[in-house]
Amino acid sequence: MKLISILMMVLLGSVVQAKPDVLLQSTTSWDGGAIEYPQGQAEITTVKLRFEANDEVPFHCHPVPTFGYVVEGTLKVETKEGKTTILKKGDPAVEVMRTVHKGTPIDGPVEIIVFYAGAEGVPNTVFPDKDPEHQHCNP
């Protein structure tokens, strides 16, 4: 019994504990905008997006909180009003919410992991021409 106790102490003493490295913690999007969770049953979605060097992501908006992590490359994000930010490999970001914006790869391909904190029945991404009544995107 004593041997088991000693072994347990040795094993527990040598357990490596993970130390969190917070990549992002924010109450606003990258442009200072508010974050609001949609009503309804929560639905989390994660996608991997890849854009080639000459791709230009069309203007769109996110009616749900959207977070990204750049795995590869550099991306210029620009709102329709002209606000911009540059995201590079290793950068986390809280996307603008309900704000029309687009992304353009800079100097090569870009890969981003995107997390949507949405709700069942609420789209994660909306193109302005598909939202003429501005239900999801601000005018």
Side-chain angles (χ1 to χ4, degrees):
M1 186 70 158
K2 193 173 189 179
L3 180 59
I4 292 174
S5 296
I6 293 171
L7 284 174
M8 290 300 288
M9 288 185 341
V10 169
L11 289 175
L12 292 175
S14 65
V15 173
V16 176
Q17 297 202 5
K19 295 179 183 174
D21 184 10
V22 176
L23 299 177
L24 174 71
Q25 186 172 28
S26 182
T27 58
T28 64
S29 62
W30 64 259
D31 72 338
I35 299 170
E36 298 175 19
Y37 291 100
Q39 296 292 315
Q41 175 60 49
E43 181 178 70
I44 304 299
T45 305
T46 303
V47 299
K48 179 168 59 171
L49 299 175
R50 181 169 178 85
F51 306 110
E52 298 305 323
N54 297 323
D55 290 348
E56 184 168 305
V57 181
F59 278 111
H60 62 282
C61 80
H62 305 291
V64 302
T66 304
F67 321 94
Y69 182 81
V70 181
V71 176
E72 173 188 348
T74 303
L75 183 72
K76 176 182 177 183
V77 182
E78 178 180 6
T79 68
K80 203 167 186 180
E81 292 78 35
K83 291 182 182 179
T84 63
T85 190
I86 302 293
L87 302 173
K88 61 187 182 318
K89 180 179 179 176
D91 284 348
V94 178
E95 271 281 23
V96 291
M97 190 167 173
R98 300 180 59 88
T99 300
V100 177
H101 64 286
K102 67 178 181 175
T104 306
I106 299 173
D107 299 326
V110 174
E111 187 172 282
I112 305 171
I113 304 296
V114 180
F115 307 88
Y116 301 100
E120 288 182 346
V122 177
N124 293 323
T125 301
V126 176
F127 296 99
D129 62 333
K130 304 291 184 194
D131 188 31
E133 295 180 13
H134 309 292
Q135 179 181 359
H136 299 292
C137 300
N138 292 335

